[in-house]
Amino acid sequence: TSLVVAKRPNSSVSESFRSVRTNFQFFDQSGKKQVVLFTSAASGDGKTFCSMNFASVLALNGHKTALLEFDLRRPKVHQEFGSSNMIGISSFLIDKAVIDDIIVPTEVQNLDLISAGPAAPNPAELIASERTAEFIDTLKGMYDYIIIDSAPVGIVSETFLLMKHSDVDIFVVRLEHTVREAFKVAMKGLRNNGFTNYSLLINDLNIRKESYKYGYDNKYYTDKEYGFFKRLFKKRA
């Protein structure tokens, strides 16, 4: 299952997301409602997996949470939750639905899903509209956390438009899968659009393989010794 936190709460992966939730508290010191956006360089890096499980771990901690499927071109979140995509975000953005119509409670307590909705020919223009700001501002009055699963920032432009509404941007990098060149292009795009305050989340780390390297012996290991960051990216064939 991709919903590891909900389906296997005692697994090592679920515990990893609890650690991410703990570390996230360093970004959440103001006490205000937080909008957290997940993106990546390309498909397959795990941004959807991470956004779903991070939203779940927040909800299970008692926070009222909304998960927004804002990858309007290739939505996947609703499939994982077994939800319909007949109506959703795109429906609201073209003024064919109100917010109450598109909110779907999930099996995870305190977690609601808002799916992408019917495919739109102009997702960038829809996201750039004032309806998006109205949409997110209204949700801030309803939820403690709003988690956005956006499109890969290295492929399409609308994620940059969504970042204008987010408080924290999390860039997912998958170990030995993310292509170095694609990562560089994505980072350049973020800088060129004025975004510098983002965090990297390393996905798909083999805990058994890596855990023995780190201990409490007050020694700082370098990637020359262990080659962790050298293995971080997939070499382009």
Side-chain angles (χ1 to χ4, degrees):
T1 177
S2 295
L3 300 173
V4 182
V5 169
K7 302 291 187 181
R8 299 182 59 192
N10 296 322
S11 66
S12 59
V13 176
S14 296
E15 189 60 34
S16 295
F17 278 104
R18 293 189 186 97
S19 297
V20 173
R21 181 183 64 195
T22 300
N23 291 332
F24 179 75
Q25 294 175 359
F26 290 101
F27 298 98
D28 187 21
Q29 299 178 10
S30 63
K32 69 174 184 177
K33 306 296 179 71
Q34 293 281 332
V35 179
V36 185
L37 181 145
F38 282 79
T39 189
S40 62
S43 298
D45 289 335
K47 66 171 181 61
T48 298
F49 173 78
C50 290
S51 63
M52 291 190 303
N53 284 285
F54 183 66
S56 297
V57 82
L58 289 174
L60 291 174
N61 201 39
H63 300 291
K64 192 165 179 55
T65 307
L67 176 59
L68 311 187
E69 188 178 40
F70 246 118
D71 188 346
L72 301 184
R73 298 175 187 267
R74 298 183 62 186
K76 300 177 182 178
V77 176
H78 69 278
Q79 298 173 357
E80 300 294 344
F81 282 93
S83 177
S84 171
N85 194 38
M86 295 297 292
I87 187 173
I89 294 174
S90 62
S91 308
F92 177 87
L93 296 182
I94 62 173
D95 204 15
K96 295 295 184 180
V98 297
I99 287 183
D100 289 342
D101 293 336
I102 61 178
I103 295 175
V104 178
T106 71
E107 61 188 273
V108 181
Q109 187 176 5
N110 296 317
L111 178 61
D112 290 340
L113 169 66
I114 303 180
S115 64
N122 57 339
E125 286 74 17
L126 288 180
I127 293 174
S129 70
E130 294 182 359
R131 291 281 287 178
T132 298
E134 177 187 342
F135 177 55
I136 294 177
D137 286 343
T138 301
L139 292 177
K140 285 181 179 180
M142 303 169 61
Y143 294 94
D144 300 319
Y145 291 99
I146 299 167
I147 310 302
I148 296 177
D149 177 54
S150 69
V153 74
I155 299 177
V156 296
S157 61
E158 50 256 38
T159 299
F160 295 126
L161 300 172
L162 284 172
M163 285 182 172
K164 297 177 181 179
H165 305 287
S166 61
D167 300 300
V168 179
D169 300 315
I170 298 180
F171 194 102
V172 178
V173 177
R174 186 173 179 182
L175 187 67
E176 297 182 343
H177 181 276
T178 300
V179 177
R180 183 185 298 270
E181 289 82 0
F183 178 80
K184 289 181 177 179
V185 170
M187 292 296 103
K188 183 178 180 180
L190 288 170
R191 290 193 299 269
N192 290 344
N193 283 273
F195 298 105
T196 58
N197 186 23
Y198 49 85
S199 299
L200 296 183
L201 178 60
I202 309 302
N203 180 37
D204 203 12
L205 173 66
N206 188 325
I207 296 176
R208 293 180 181 177
K209 188 175 180 180
E210 300 290 342
S211 60
Y212 74 93
K213 299 176 182 177
Y214 306 100
Y216 296 96
D217 56 0
N218 295 319
K219 179 179 179 182
Y220 289 93
Y221 296 108
T222 66
D223 60 351
K224 182 178 181 180
E225 292 175 84
Y226 290 127
F228 174 80
F229 286 99
K230 290 182 180 179
R231 296 191 298 104
L232 185 60
F233 298 101
K234 174 184 177 181
K235 293 182 179 179
R236 188 183 295 275

